[in-house]
Amino acid sequence: MPSLHVSESSPHTISTHRLILRPAEPGDVSEYTRLWTDPGVRRFLGGPVAEQQLPTYQRHFVGRPNLYTVATRQQGTVLGSASIDPESRFDGRREVSYSFLPEHWGQGYAREAVTAVVSWAFDYVPSRDPSVIAVTQEANSPSCRLLEDIGMHLISSFVEWDAPQVMYSMQRQDLRAAR
């Protein structure tokens, strides 16, 4: 299990060896706008957010419960985001979601952040279901590998938005430390 520190103040900040997961701030708008509009980031998420929708996204990301900006501990460089939906559309189970800027892919940051936010969810996000789930497109092999690496298990496949989707699930005892 990664060494985590959760601040006592609300909203919580989660710290790992290399990362700070903190509530989104207005100063993060340029990085979030890139997450919403970058074709590579949005490849498996239905494509870039339409230009006319961006002002709404930009107004509503700060203060969104359980949404974390993922930044480096040392320089504070924003790498991406991670979130927990406490009652997803999938039978009300907790669902983890994440996206990272392309220049930070392949460095283990997503694995470290997702492990941290899922661990945090088990401790701080009440649920009637003992699991945390994640859904991605079947074609998103890097995300599938990440989910499997942290201990999630494939539990379902289905077609949505004209693409094969996969659902992963884990319980607390399945969680593996970020490498």
Side-chain angles (χ1 to χ4, degrees):
M1 191 63 49
S3 173
L4 296 179
H5 172 11
V6 177
S7 73
E8 295 304 316
S9 63
S10 185
H12 295 291
T13 297
I14 304 166
S15 301
T16 69
H17 177 68
R18 300 186 301 165
L19 304 174
I20 296 288
L21 286 74
R22 58 169 173 73
E25 301 171 350
D28 301 331
V29 72
S30 64
E31 289 88 353
Y32 274 81
T33 299
R34 283 192 55 215
L35 290 171
W36 299 321
T37 60
D38 185 282
V41 172
R42 299 290 302 178
R43 178 176 173 202
F44 300 107
L45 298 170
V49 172
E51 179 104 17
Q52 63 269 25
Q53 292 178 304
L54 284 176
T56 300
Y57 277 67
Q58 292 166 337
R59 277 192 307 275
H60 296 289
F61 81 102
V62 173
R64 194 176 123 207
N66 305 324
L67 171 64
Y68 289 94
T69 296
V70 179
T72 59
R73 283 179 73 96
Q74 295 292 330
Q75 294 82 20
T77 302
V78 174
L79 310 172
S81 69
S83 65
I84 293 288
D85 180 349
E87 293 185 13
S88 75
R89 62 192 177 95
F90 299 102
D91 298 324
R93 291 179 280 189
R94 294 171 288 198
E95 181 179 2
V96 63
S97 299
Y98 49 93
S99 60
F100 285 77
L101 296 168
E103 62 268 27
H104 305 296
W105 293 353
Q107 300 174 54
Y109 292 128
R111 181 179 292 117
E112 189 171 333
V114 172
T115 300
V117 79
V118 168
S119 180
W120 171 83
F122 282 128
D123 291 335
Y124 295 98
V125 180
S127 177
R128 57 182 166 70
D129 186 284
S131 66
V132 172
I133 63 166
V135 176
T136 189
Q137 279 193 24
E138 186 177 280
N140 190 351
S141 55
S143 188
C144 292
R145 272 193 311 277
L146 181 154
L147 296 170
E148 291 166 2
D149 284 352
I150 69 166
M152 286 197 157
H153 308 283
L154 179 65
I155 62 165
S156 180
S157 298
F158 54 97
V159 175
E160 188 172 50
W161 300 299
D162 299 322
Q165 309 289 321
V166 287
M167 181 185 297
Y168 286 84
S169 179
M170 72 182 331
Q171 294 188 16
R172 180 186 306 273
Q173 68 269 18
D174 300 324
L175 188 62
R176 293 189 203 127
R179 292 176 187 63

